Amino acid sequence: MKVFLAVLVILFVSENVQGQMFDTPGRLRKKCKVPARKVSDALVSSVKIDFFTQYLDHSDASHAKTFKQRYFVDEQYASAEKDVAFLFIDGESESSEDFIKSGEWVESAKKFNASLFLLEHRYFGKSIPTEDLSTENLKYLTVDQALADTANFIEGIKTQYKLAPDVKWIVFGCSYSGSLVAWFRQKYPDLTKGGVASSAPLVAKVNFADYHKVVYDDIRSSKNGNQTGEECISAVQKAFEQLNSKAQNKDGQLGLDNMFKLCDTITENNSAENLASLTDYLLYFFSGK
Ligand SMILES: *[C@@H]1O[C@H](CO)[C@@H](O)[C@H](O)[C@H]1NC(C)=O
Ligand SMILES: *[C@@H]1O[C@H](CO)[C@@H](O)[C@H](O)[C@H]1NC(C)=O
Ligand SMILES: *[C@@H]1O[C@H](CO)[C@@H](O)[C@H](O)[C@H]1NC(C)=O
């Protein structure tokens, strides 16, 4: 969405829920990836960024083509033996150093004296394997290739970092990347001792309303000052009803255009499509994604 002024959206939403937003499970994904707290500069220096020579097409036995896949490593918690290694299999976005600096898996690394690795997903960030993203070149963007990247990385990185011969690998992931963890354990069970798949969807489903049911239940059972979850739910529902009813006529549409300072307006262009985008965008504030 290139369309909106976020500040106005927030104003609109908070006005309608009469208070601060609740912490919903839908925002979990952001949380489990990027913790809110600041990390001191002292920690930054222990993180190294490097590139792993990866096969473009793992199903091609000649392995003729390769690309550079970015990874992050932090060995500050590792024991001298380097007998435990954690790998965060990243998902559908550019990897960030923040992901390896703190979070639940880093806490576990401290406890288990583990080396930390974070592997950027092919086709994201600095791990673009093809010269462009033409449809033809996107044919290597598959779950199987991503899983094979992970397997190849685990096997290939061992010598370079002088990990113990019997090093125990644990894989971590969240959301889609959590799904990769589960599938990785299934497809390459011998390469790891375990995996932590957080918020990992495993069943493909069209019209997946279940997710919003969880968001609904969570908001409903929350409290925010003197406002009950029930009140919040009904305020949110009312807001979306207002949105829909305004969208039914020209005056209302113009109101929405102005309220959200829309560039691609609902009154002109493709109003149904733009309204769907607007609704989806506003939904983010309650459900994350
Ligand atoms: C981690 O290292 C510390 C310090 O060397 C040691 O006391 C502790 O037992 C180690 N923990 C594990 C789980 O090996
Ligand atoms: C809830 O608290 C706010 C300020 O803390 C107050 O302005 C508001 O009137 C209260 N609402 C109810 C229903 O008590
Ligand atoms: C939307 O409509 C306006 C006015 O007709 C036009 O200038 C603009 O190019 C349209 N935008 C899109 C994305 O079609």
Side-chain angles (χ1 to χ4, degrees):
M1 291 294 304
K2 50 196 174 216
V3 184
F4 312 105
L5 276 185
V7 173
L8 284 172
V9 172
I10 290 165
L11 284 176
F12 172 80
V13 170
S14 29
E15 183 189 304
N16 280 284
V17 300
Q18 298 155 9
Q20 297 234 307
M21 285 206 311
F22 286 65
D23 225 1
T24 70
R27 304 166 91 199
L28 263 181
R29 190 178 135 200
K30 277 174 211 142
K31 262 189 213 156
C32 67
K33 285 188 110 175
V34 192
R37 70 189 157 91
K38 285 263 179 261
V39 183
S40 75
D41 287 337
L43 280 176
V44 175
S45 60
S46 64
V47 177
K48 285 191 224 108
I49 303 171
D50 207 342
F51 290 83
F52 180 79
T53 303
Q54 188 62 270
Y55 300 131
L56 174 64
D57 183 4
H58 293 275
S59 67
D60 168 16
S62 76
H63 290 147
K65 289 189 183 151
T66 59
F67 71 99
K68 299 282 182 200
Q69 187 169 20
R70 184 167 64 158
Y71 67 94
F72 299 70
V73 54
D74 189 346
E75 297 193 280
Q76 67 167 317
Y77 311 114
S79 64
E81 302 80 43
K82 298 201 191 180
D83 54 356
V84 182
F86 288 180
L87 171 61
F88 197 104
I89 310 176
D90 215 349
E92 75 286 21
S93 60
E94 175 164 15
S95 292
S96 154
E97 216 169 298
D98 290 344
F99 302 168
I100 201 171
K101 282 196 257 172
S102 56
E104 199 54 43
W105 76 302
V106 177
E107 295 309 309
S108 296
K110 291 177 191 170
K111 197 166 147 195
F112 294 101
N113 302 333
S115 306
L116 290 170
F117 293 89
L118 171 83
L119 184 62
E120 187 167 67
H121 198 289
R122 56 167 59 206
Y123 287 89
F124 292 92
K126 305 269 184 292
S127 304
I128 311 291
T130 49
E131 61 193 10
D132 61 36
L133 301 181
S134 65
T135 306
E136 170 65 15
N137 277 339
L138 283 177
K139 70 183 176 191
Y140 305 110
L141 177 56
T142 67
V143 167
D144 282 338
Q145 298 282 5
L147 295 177
D149 286 345
T150 309
N152 198 31
F153 180 80
I154 283 180
E155 288 175 318
I157 210 70
K158 201 167 160 175
T159 329
Q160 188 179 336
Y161 286 89
K162 300 188 171 62
L163 304 180
D166 60 346
V167 58
K168 297 180 208 54
W169 282 96
I170 309 289
V171 273
F172 293 79
C174 183
S175 193
Y176 160 62
S177 102
S179 309
L180 287 175
V181 164
W183 293 323
F184 188 75
R185 286 284 299 151
Q186 190 172 47
K187 193 165 177 187
Y188 301 94
D190 299 342
L191 292 183
T192 54
K193 287 287 178 196
V196 179
S198 306
S199 301
L202 295 173
V203 180
K205 193 173 168 185
V206 178
N207 245 341
F208 184 58
D210 312 46
Y211 183 81
H212 289 116
K213 177 73 169 72
V214 174
V215 175
Y216 175 93
D217 288 343
D218 190 66
I219 295 178
R220 206 172 59 159
S221 64
S222 307
K223 249 199 162 68
N224 187 31
N226 58 7
Q227 189 183 35
T228 67
E230 286 290 355
E231 285 166 342
C232 183
I233 282 288
S234 99
V236 173
Q237 282 175 336
K238 216 177 279 174
F240 280 101
E241 278 161 20
Q242 278 177 21
L243 183 73
N244 271 321
S245 85
K246 280 182 190 301
Q248 301 310 311
N249 59 66
K250 271 270 180 290
D251 275 356
Q253 290 172 0
L254 209 56
L256 292 175
D257 289 347
N258 292 331
M259 185 183 294
F260 296 108
K261 303 240 182 299
L262 305 183
C263 305
D264 288 346
T265 58
I266 293 175
T267 22
E268 300 164 339
N269 311 98
N270 181 349
S271 75
E273 191 183 295
N274 287 351
L275 179 66
S277 294
L278 176 61
T279 306
D280 206 36
Y281 190 75
L282 292 171
L283 214 52
Y284 274 24
F285 286 93
F286 301 95
S287 64
K289 236 191 205 177

